[in-house]
Amino acid sequence: NNDSKSHSPMLTVSGSDVFVVWNDDRDGNFEIYYKHSVDGGVNWGQDTRLTNSVFSGSPCISISGSNLHVVYVHSVYKDDLSQKTEIYYKLSTDQGISWGDDKLLTSVSSLIQPSVSVLGSIVHVAWEDDRDGNNEIYYKRKGNPVGIED
């Protein structure tokens, strides 16, 4: 679609596999998409839509083994029309062939720019948050080998 706008591309690499996530508005609102190359970025598979929301953005991706970890921001308007922004996590255990359900990581209203990194079985997530009136960096860590669990 020539009229769509793409933003916030992020990638991770493992050997000759390249994995990228981004958000774009080809379907009328911003959603997170994923794409995979098995030959170092020469050829690419099809786009896969990962979200179904009013607005999803600022995706980040990390790989550990065959597990792909994606975090992103999801924004909704509350009844008083103020915006609530939360961070969600999504996991694929088969290099992006299939994806699990979205998991809510945060429940405060002003979060931006999530980042994810994985080392072994430890998933690290950081983001910017102004819940106390100042932009601060927050961090969450989980040790489940197949993703963040409650």
Side-chain angles (χ1 to χ4, degrees):
N1 181 344
N2 291 334
D3 295 329
S4 72
K5 296 178 183 86
S6 297
H7 298 282
S8 306
M10 296 294 285
L11 64 86
T12 190
V13 177
S14 178
S16 62
D17 287 293
V18 181
F19 307 89
V20 65
V21 290
W22 72 97
N23 67 312
D24 79 39
D25 68 349
R26 72 180 75 174
D27 297 320
N29 50 298
F30 282 100
E31 301 292 351
I32 305 300
Y33 288 85
Y34 158 82
K35 189 174 264 207
H36 177 201
S37 170
V38 297
D39 58 8
V42 174
N43 297 292
W44 291 89
Q46 66 183 21
D47 296 356
T48 301
R49 183 173 163 176
L50 297 184
T51 59
N52 187 16
S53 63
V54 174
F55 175 86
S56 295
S58 301
C60 188
I61 189 168
S62 185
I63 189 167
S64 178
S66 62
N67 295 331
L68 283 172
H69 306 265
V70 173
V71 293
Y72 64 92
V73 169
H74 172 74
S75 295
V76 295
Y77 285 95
K78 300 185 284 185
D79 291 338
D80 62 1
L81 297 182
S82 63
Q83 189 174 11
K84 182 177 183 183
T85 305
E86 298 169 327
I87 296 174
Y88 280 82
Y89 167 85
K90 197 165 196 73
L91 172 69
S92 171
T93 58
D94 54 14
Q95 292 193 334
I97 295 169
S98 62
W99 292 87
D101 293 335
D102 300 323
K103 294 186 180 186
L104 178 65
L105 294 186
T106 60
S107 60
V108 294
S109 63
S110 54
L111 312 166
I112 59 172
Q113 301 301 329
S115 179
V116 63
S117 185
V118 181
L119 181 59
S121 64
I122 307 297
V123 179
H124 305 270
V125 179
W127 64 92
E128 187 176 334
D129 186 326
D130 71 353
R131 71 180 84 172
D132 297 324
N134 297 314
N135 285 342
E136 303 288 343
I137 304 300
Y138 284 77
Y139 169 82
K140 189 170 201 167
R141 167 190 160 153
K142 292 291 186 174
N144 187 307
V146 294
I148 295 176
E149 296 292 334
D150 292 328

